[in-house]
Amino acid sequence: MVGTPARCCAALGALLWGCALLGRGALALQGGTLYPRESPSRERKELDGLWSFRADLSASRRRGFEEQWYRRPLRESGPTLDMPVPSSFNDVGQDGQLRNFVGWVWYEREVILPERWTQDLRTRVVLRVGSAHYYAIMWVNGVHVAEHEGGHLPFEADISKLVQTGPLSSCRVTIAVNNTLTPHTLPPGTILYKTDTSKYPKGYFVQDINFDFFNYAGLHRPVLLYTTPTAYIDDITVTTDVDQDTGLVNYQIVTQGSKHFELEVRLLDAEGNVVAQGTGGRGQLQVPNARLWWPYLMHKDPAYLYSLEVRMTAQTVMGPMADFYTLPVGIRTVAVTETQFLINGKPFYFHGVNKHEDSDIRGKGFDWALLMKDFNLLRWLGANSFRTSHYPYAEEVMQLCDRYGIVVIDECPGVGIVLAESFGNQSLQHHLQVMEELVRRDKNHPAVVMWSVANEPSSALQPAGYYFKTVISHTKALDPTRPVTFVTNSNYAADLGVPYVDVICVNSYYSWYHDYGHLEVIELQLQTQFESWHRAYRKPIIQSEYGAETIAGLHEDPPLMFSEEYQKSLLARYHAVLDEKRKEYVVGELIWNFADFMTNQTPQRVLGNKKGIFTRQRQPKSAAFLLRDRYWRLANETLEPGAGPRSLCLQSSPLRV
Ligand code: GCB
């Protein structure tokens, strides 16, 4: 538990926006963040559904704290709305004020707990939030249990003591969420007060941001309760290697709750046969004739997963206990040379997309149907990879990537770092903490092959060199097994961060933001871009964004901007150069963007960003078919002759769902 209500309110008294932002959230981060899975020793209870909700519309946005709304059921302190969880709150209602609301919103849910959870003192009950954007404070039965900064990573609180105090079998979960962004949050933002009273009412302010997606807010991912025994497996770290035909699985296990325990680990293949076993908190399992985890379309049997079963048996003052946790494990290696990105020692070419977590009504709210649609589209397209532009995606997304062999560049929310004050120590410390949380959450996913610490920062600013050197070396220390990058749009000669990356990821929008309307300049400009970067750094390069705004159904030939023809021509011209350079040192291309997505309202955006090859409703524009032909052709080149799946790749419906 973190702090007391009294402390919490004292801290809140001093601020209007973004709560304390004093790193107190770090207290909620101790320990591992293993995804809550059911096992013979663990249960789950999902709290998805309708929650009570209220936006604090008071001028100070602090009324909820002043009146201590968390102390009593929310309905007793004023009117409430029904709000779905998970979902952004912005687009659910008919109220324009809520869509653009900035400040604290309050969520509350009463939960009935199984009797065993409240009576059995050998049970540990944990409350876990998948994502609350941006700053969250959580209470159970009016008691402050956790605080977390950052909208895209999970946090949790052990609430056993609170729910095991008496015969009560219900608990009231209250979560206050603040979407305010400041120069020191990730992503950063600024609150602009408009003080000219001839133009704006008193107290008028807007949230300013330097990134191109709508700052959706709320409880975006599942909230759940889960149990473990009080002596439990807290964290598992797996790294893998390959020695000829033998797969090496290195494991490290952290436990809590007892000093007297034993650990047994077993590695099972997909048919459930035990292929290796060991004991103790760390060790190496050797798997003869290992089946490797290969990316989708790189092998006839991609995404092979083993299961690592961990069993802890402990002696405690309350008697013997056992905890079980099963982790999917893919055996694969990743390496980078001056010109190549290697997976399992073979050159891998990223032909994929950039995505957003974004859809109608639910905004950034997690949704299984949308997720499956997106994965089906990715596989239809022949995409073998995506970047989690511009923040970590839901854990369930990463699990599907493991399962389908979709390779991931895992990006933190470091987008829009453009102001000098966002390169200071406060921002840097928070950025380091976010990388810790991200690596802790995603380190065991075979699909994750590279970390991206930022997108398009002002990396030519003087402090950027030290800043990125520090963030990147910290990330490498957290995870020495994966390359690290950030995505740049700076000039190659001025960029101070790129010296520290393993792979250069470059965004460019030739013939869109520059020389717009002039498709004929693309080839020359793109060649110059690649040659300049490679000459300067001798590192592999990924074209991490390129694209054109396209209104579905708008046709113009010869191509004019915003038409489907223009998007196709622009892409095709990029592809001509990519086809030359991928023979040398270009190791990937990621289209901007998979689907249209919502942004702030600006004169440049027509109901959001329309650079998707699919509409926001996931219907294809013409460019989707162009890209599909290309990706399947690229995949077909990669497959070894005689490997069989060439024909699989050429089938019009190549999916085995
Ligand atoms: C970029 C950004 C991305 C934008 C995109 C665009 O360079 O990385 O977030 O949405 O350009 O469409 O302008």
Side-chain angles (χ1 to χ4, degrees), residues 210-213 354 356 387 389-390 411 415 455-456 487-489 507-509 512-513 544-549 592-593 597 599 605 609-611:
N210 281 305
F211 52 86
D212 183 36
F213 54 92
N354 290 276
H356 263 299
R387 170 166 68 120
S389 45
H390 293 306
E411 188 158 280
V415 55
N455 178 68
E456 296 189 353
V487 172
T488 184
N489 66 343
N507 295 348
S508 58
Y509 285 90
W512 189 261
Y513 290 123
S544 40
E545 284 182 30
Y546 67 109
E549 208 78 18
W592 191 263
N593 189 286
F597 58 91
T599 64
R605 297 285 179 255
N609 187 308
K610 294 280 192 282
K611 294 195 185 71

Side-chain angles (χ1 to χ4, degrees), residues 107 149 178 192 285 314 317 320 360 426 489 517 534 629 653:
Y107 285 81
E149 179 181 356
N178 192 325
L192 292 179
L285 304 178
V317 284
D360 287 332
Q426 187 179 342
N489 66 343
H534 193 67
D629 284 349
S653 176

Side-chain angles (χ1 to χ4, degrees), residues 98-116:
L98 190 55
R99 183 172 194 276
N100 299 311
F101 181 80
V102 179
W104 290 101
V105 297
W106 292 73
Y107 285 81
E108 183 202 74
R109 166 90 196 250
E110 297 270 353
V111 193
I112 307 289
L113 299 178
E115 194 174 36
R116 207 183 56 69

Side-chain angles (χ1 to χ4, degrees), residues 138-150:
M138 186 156 75
W139 297 261
V140 168
N141 293 336
V143 179
H144 177 266
V145 294
E147 204 161 320
H148 184 256
E149 179 181 356

Side-chain angles (χ1 to χ4, degrees), residues 6-17 19-20 60 62 65-66 104:
R7 264 181 69 200
C8 172
C9 289
L12 285 161
L15 53 97
L16 174 56
W17 309 110
C19 192
S60 70
R62 287 206 303 255
F65 294 98
E66 287 157 6
W104 290 101

Side-chain angles (χ1 to χ4, degrees), residues 273-446:
N273 306 307
V274 178
V275 295
Q277 45 194 327
T279 53
R282 88 174 36 220
Q284 184 178 78
L285 304 178
Q286 303 198 349
V287 188
N289 302 316
R291 293 176 69 177
L292 302 187
W293 187 95
W294 289 97
Y296 174 53
L297 299 178
M298 198 176 174
H299 191 267
K300 64 179 182 329
D301 190 9
Y304 191 86
L305 291 174
Y306 291 88
S307 299
L308 185 75
E309 282 186 0
V310 180
R311 176 193 166 97
M312 173 191 186
T313 43
Q315 298 303 325
T316 74
V317 284
M318 286 183 275
M321 281 184 202
D323 189 22
F324 305 87
Y325 191 90
T326 302
L327 182 78
V329 169
I331 301 176
R332 58 113 186 87
T333 63
V334 173
V336 169
T337 72
E338 275 189 13
T339 56
Q340 291 171 313
F341 196 99
L342 303 173
I343 295 185
N344 299 332
K346 297 212 167 141
F348 176 73
Y349 187 76
F350 296 77
H351 44 88
V353 305
N354 290 276
K355 286 185 94 263
H356 263 299
E357 289 186 321
D358 176 272
S359 70
D360 287 332
I361 302 170
R362 52 187 71 63
K364 291 202 178 304
F366 178 80
D367 178 74
W368 276 112
L370 178 76
L371 189 57
M372 274 325 301
K373 181 70 178 174
D374 281 5
F375 272 85
N376 288 334
L377 286 176
L378 285 171
R379 295 188 298 161
W380 173 88
L381 198 62
N384 62 5
S385 50
F386 66 77
R387 170 166 68 120
T388 66
S389 45
H390 293 306
Y391 38 81
Y393 293 177
E395 290 155 287
E396 293 80 0
V397 176
M398 311 311 280
Q399 290 161 10
L400 281 186
C401 288
D402 290 346
R403 192 150 128 194
Y404 293 131
I406 303 292
V407 167
V408 178
I409 301 173
D410 203 351
E411 188 158 280
C412 90
V415 55
I417 308 177
V418 295
L419 302 175
E421 59 185 315
S422 298
F423 285 95
N425 206 32
Q426 187 179 342
S427 299
L428 179 58
Q429 291 312 315
H430 178 56
H431 205 145
L432 300 180
Q433 181 170 322
V434 170
M435 289 315 301
E436 278 182 46
E437 289 182 43
L438 176 59
V439 172
R440 194 176 316 170
R441 192 195 74 161
D442 287 352
K443 62 189 170 186
N444 293 324
H445 289 289

